[in-house]
Amino acid sequence: MKKILWLLLLFAFNKTLGQKAIESKDKTSNSEAADSVLFWANYGKGFHYEENQRDSALYYYSRCEQIAQQNDYPLELAFVLAEKGYVLMKLDSPAEALQSFLKANQIAENPNNESAKRTILFTASGHQMRLYVLVQIHKFWGILISGVNTDETKQHFSKAIEIAGEVKDTVDIGIVSMNLADLYLRTNEKDSALLLAKKAESIFNSIGDLRLLGFILNTLGNIYLRKNENDSALYFYYRAIQSSSQGNNLSALNYTYTTLTQFYLSKENYDSSFFYARKNLTVLQSMNDGDLGDAHQLLAQCFQLKNNTDSAYKYQSLALVELDTAFDKQFRNLTAFEKVSFSEQLRLQQLEEEKALTQNKIELYSAIAALAVLIVIGIIIYRNYRQRTKANKVLESTLSNLKSTQAQLIQSEKMASLGELTAGIAHEIQNPLNFVNNFSEVSNELVDEMKEELNKGDIDEAKFIADDIKQNLEKINHHGRRADSIVKNMLQHSKQTKGVKEPTDINALCDEYLRLAYHGLRAKDKNFNAEIKNQF
């Protein structure tokens, strides 16, 4: 099963073969241009005969292979080897098909081939081309082993869908989905098979590919037949016949005619079974594939249903001879396939062993290199540690000296600040001292007056004078405490402290230092004056 010819345009053509060849003359020789056109012309013929005259398809694909080898086109070679493998598979040569897939895969798995020389008509990038070829290989490889190893088949199909999604190859996603539907149907997973078949049908309908649509419609008919929905099955079989005929897909017609013959035989409907059996034989004869055993067997069963023993015996005899020959051929092919498969497994095993050995060597050398690097790093770290230790000692000594010097500077700044404030502090202290002196003198005079009044016997006047003396003493006490506070603050400012934080009256502190600053300026400049207004 293969995608339609327009997919070639995705990779090869801009307008036409001739136009592209003319445009490329400035870049390549006439011989390369001719070989490029010849390659794709033979590919187009091979593709045309792929589902109808497979011997012819094989011939043209072999010519493509020869052209790609002569001109050293690795990606084109891998591409045509995948197509050739598919045709060989359909011609019951599984061993040769597997060999073709292995060669193609070996080329396509090498990313270096993306930059290799390609045909001048090939417009896709090397990376896209290589991925597209890998899609074909995994798709055909999965079909080849679908009846042998289900798990491996699913792996190949999954890989094909993954890569096809990367290069946006919708058609191949539909083809692989169709083959997965057949696989799930064989394992009786009818719902999964139907889901995938519907997905493939939607894709083929969207691109209008009647040849591929014939295959998937036949698959849908098989699914509904397995679900015992005969009317739906017949509907899709008849649609498959119509699409395959219009798309000139004899292979799909063969599948559908065979299925319809078997269906009507199960219903003991001679006319319909004989009608489709004859059509099936005609299709196989036109395909010239040489395997008519199953078609003769079906005709024999039709004649048996009609009780026509002579004709039944005739076709049964033909079927036995051809089936016997086909069995021998299949046996030889299967044996050859197993040999190729076994050889490939041995080769892969040897590659894995060599890979493991190489990996072990790499790990050993890496470990030795890492150990050497660690030793060098250890030496460097040790030397840095010693140098850092010496530097740290010097830095600690320097830091200690800096701290001592800083402490001295701070104390010196404090003393300098104190010196600047001394004049203001002295002036500030002078005020309460003047009050103390004045009230003391007045109090002494009042004491003398109180004595005189006591001697006169004027007790009331003496009491009045005593009250004045008491008020004066209170004022003396107030101004004395004020002077004491100023002295204490001065001492607190001048001495070294541990920096312990204590609660204080911020308003009083601000008021006091504002006054000290004011009187300090007044001491320096007698003409300085300012009005102080506080809003604490």
Side-chain angles (χ1 to χ4, degrees):
M1 283 171 280
K2 188 59 190 64
K3 63 174 62 181
I4 59 176
L5 189 56
W6 67 266
L7 259 178
L8 180 60
L9 302 180
L10 180 64
F11 302 99
F13 297 95
N14 285 332
K15 294 182 179 178
T16 66
L17 292 174
Q19 288 176 331
K20 193 67 178 182
I22 292 171
E23 291 170 5
S24 66
K25 283 184 180 179
D26 293 334
K27 299 180 181 179
T28 62
S29 67
N30 290 335
S31 122
E32 279 190 354
D35 286 339
S36 296
V37 173
L38 190 61
F39 176 89
W40 289 110
N42 278 281
Y43 171 79
K45 292 179 181 179
F47 179 81
H48 174 73
Y49 290 116
E50 196 170 85
E51 300 296 348
N52 302 324
Q53 299 288 338
R54 293 197 175 107
D55 288 335
S56 299
L58 184 61
Y59 168 77
Y60 287 113
Y61 284 153
S62 296
R63 291 191 64 184
C64 288
E65 180 183 0
Q66 183 180 7
I67 295 170
Q69 287 175 336
Q70 289 174 349
N71 289 274
D72 193 21
Y73 299 140
L75 292 180
E76 281 85 347
L77 178 59
F79 177 63
V80 79
L81 282 172
E83 303 293 343
K84 182 181 176 181
Y86 171 74
V87 174
L88 288 168
M89 172 178 60
K90 290 299 182 179
L91 289 173
D92 289 330
S93 297
E96 294 179 59
L98 181 58
Q99 287 178 335
S100 191
F101 294 151
L102 290 172
K103 290 178 184 178
N105 191 61
Q106 187 175 3
I107 298 171
E109 285 288 352
N110 187 357
N112 294 330
N113 287 325
E114 292 180 0
S115 57
K117 186 172 69 170
R118 289 178 288 153
T119 55
I120 62 171
L121 302 177
F122 211 83
T123 59
S125 69
H127 179 66
Q128 288 177 317
M129 172 60 175
R130 188 176 70 85
L131 293 183
Y132 175 74
V133 173
L134 283 172
V135 172
Q136 309 312 308
I137 294 169
H138 286 292
K139 174 182 68 177
F140 293 145
W141 203 332
I143 296 172
L144 177 65
I145 62 171
S146 60
V148 179
N149 189 322
T150 301
D151 292 335
E152 189 175 347
T153 300
K154 289 180 179 179
Q155 290 175 6
H156 282 293
F157 283 158
S158 298
K159 190 68 175 178
I161 288 178
E162 177 186 349
I163 302 173
E166 185 175 346
V167 295
K168 295 181 174 55
D169 182 3
T170 308
V171 177
D172 272 320
I173 292 175
I175 294 173
V176 176
S177 298
M178 175 177 64
N179 283 281
L180 273 172
D182 285 331
L183 186 66
Y184 282 121
L185 185 60
R186 287 199 296 271
T187 57
N188 205 32
E189 299 175 70
K190 294 186 287 289
D191 293 334
S192 298
L194 183 59
L195 184 66
L196 287 165
K198 286 290 187 182
K199 177 181 179 181
E201 182 191 17
S202 175
I203 291 173
F204 298 151
N205 274 324
S206 65
I207 63 176
D209 187 347
L210 295 177
R211 187 166 74 160
L212 292 175
L213 186 60
F215 278 120
I216 193 57
L217 291 173
N218 183 75
T219 300
L220 282 166
N222 292 339
I223 294 171
Y224 282 110
L225 188 63
R226 186 72 63 86
K227 292 166 69 75
N228 294 320
E229 299 180 24
N230 295 340
D231 291 340
S232 297
L234 290 173
Y235 166 76
F236 283 107
Y237 287 143
Y238 295 146
R239 282 188 59 196
I241 292 172
Q242 183 181 8
S243 297
S244 300
S245 299
Q246 292 175 354
N248 194 29
N249 189 340
L250 301 184
S251 181
L253 278 174
N254 165 229
Y255 294 150
T256 307
Y257 287 152
T258 299
T259 306
L260 283 171
T261 302
Q262 293 170 339
F263 172 78
Y264 284 115
L265 280 172
S266 67
K267 301 299 182 182
E268 296 186 353
N269 186 331
Y270 168 76
D271 292 333
S272 296
S273 61
F274 181 74
F275 174 78
Y276 288 112
R278 291 294 301 175
K279 280 187 168 292
N280 185 38
L281 181 61
T282 302
V283 167
L284 286 173
Q285 288 171 341
S286 64
M287 290 176 67
N288 197 27
D289 279 348
D291 186 8
L292 305 177
D294 289 333
H296 287 153
Q297 180 72 39
L298 289 174
L299 277 170
Q301 293 176 12
C302 290
F303 284 119
Q304 286 176 355
L305 183 63
K306 188 68 172 179
N307 293 322
N308 189 338
T309 56
D310 292 338
S311 296
Y313 177 76
K314 171 189 172 182
Y315 283 104
Q316 186 66 47
S317 300
L318 291 172
L320 288 175
V321 173
E322 290 167 356
L323 290 173
D324 185 59
T325 303
F327 177 78
D328 290 339
K329 181 181 177 182
Q330 289 177 356
F331 180 78
R332 289 193 303 271
N333 289 336
L334 184 59
T335 303
F337 175 79
E338 292 294 337
K339 287 181 180 179
V340 173
S341 181
F342 181 70
S343 299
E344 177 63 13
Q345 290 176 5
L346 287 178
R347 188 183 71 82
L348 292 175
Q349 185 177 354
Q350 290 175 354
L351 288 176
E352 287 297 328
E353 291 175 355
E354 291 174 1
K355 183 179 178 182
L357 182 60
T358 303
Q359 186 65 29
N360 290 336
K361 288 181 180 179
I362 292 173
E363 290 176 356
L364 177 61
Y365 295 149
S366 299
I368 294 173
L371 181 60
V373 171
L374 288 175
I375 292 172
V376 173
I377 292 173
I379 294 172
I380 294 172
I381 291 174
Y382 177 71
R383 290 183 61 187
N384 290 341
Y385 172 75
R386 290 188 60 185
Q387 293 175 356
R388 193 178 292 110
T389 302
K390 292 179 181 178
N392 285 341
K393 290 181 179 179
V394 175
L395 288 173
E396 287 175 0
S397 175
T398 304
L399 181 61
S400 178
N401 294 334
L402 285 173
K403 286 183 177 179
S404 177
T405 303
Q406 185 183 29
Q408 294 174 4
L409 287 172
I410 291 172
Q411 184 63 21
S412 297
E413 289 177 359
K414 283 187 177 181
M415 295 306 296
S417 176
L418 183 63
E420 292 178 359
L421 293 176
T422 300
I425 293 170
H427 189 275
E428 183 71 11
I429 292 175
Q430 188 64 42
N431 287 334
L433 287 177
N434 288 337
F435 280 114
V436 170
N437 291 332
N438 292 333
F439 284 119
S440 296
E441 292 176 1
V442 172
S443 296
N444 284 328
E445 294 176 358
L446 289 174
V447 169
D448 293 337
E449 291 180 5
M450 185 176 67
K451 287 180 180 180
E452 291 177 1
E453 295 299 329
L454 288 173
N455 290 330
K456 293 178 181 181
D458 191 350
I459 302 301
D460 293 333
E461 185 64 24
K463 287 181 180 181
F464 181 77
I465 294 171
D467 291 336
D468 290 339
I469 293 171
K470 182 178 179 182
Q471 291 177 359
N472 290 342
L473 290 174
E474 288 176 353
K475 293 179 179 178
I476 290 170
N477 180 266
H478 169 73
H479 289 288
R481 284 197 305 272
R482 182 182 173 192
D484 179 66
S485 174
I486 293 171
V487 172
K488 285 182 179 179
N489 287 334
M490 180 183 68
L491 293 174
Q492 180 71 20
H493 180 74
S494 63
K495 72 177 183 178
Q496 295 183 2
T497 64
K498 295 181 180 179
V500 178
K501 296 180 181 179
E502 299 176 352
T504 187
D505 185 346
I506 298 297
N507 291 343
L509 183 67
C510 290
D511 182 69
E512 180 180 349
Y513 277 89
L514 181 62
R515 290 179 182 279
L516 289 176
Y518 170 73
H519 289 298
L521 289 172
R522 286 279 295 171
K524 291 180 181 180
D525 183 6
K526 297 297 183 179
N527 296 323
F528 174 79
N529 197 5
E531 182 183 357
I532 300 174
K533 293 183 179 180
N534 298 330
Q535 292 183 355
F536 296 129

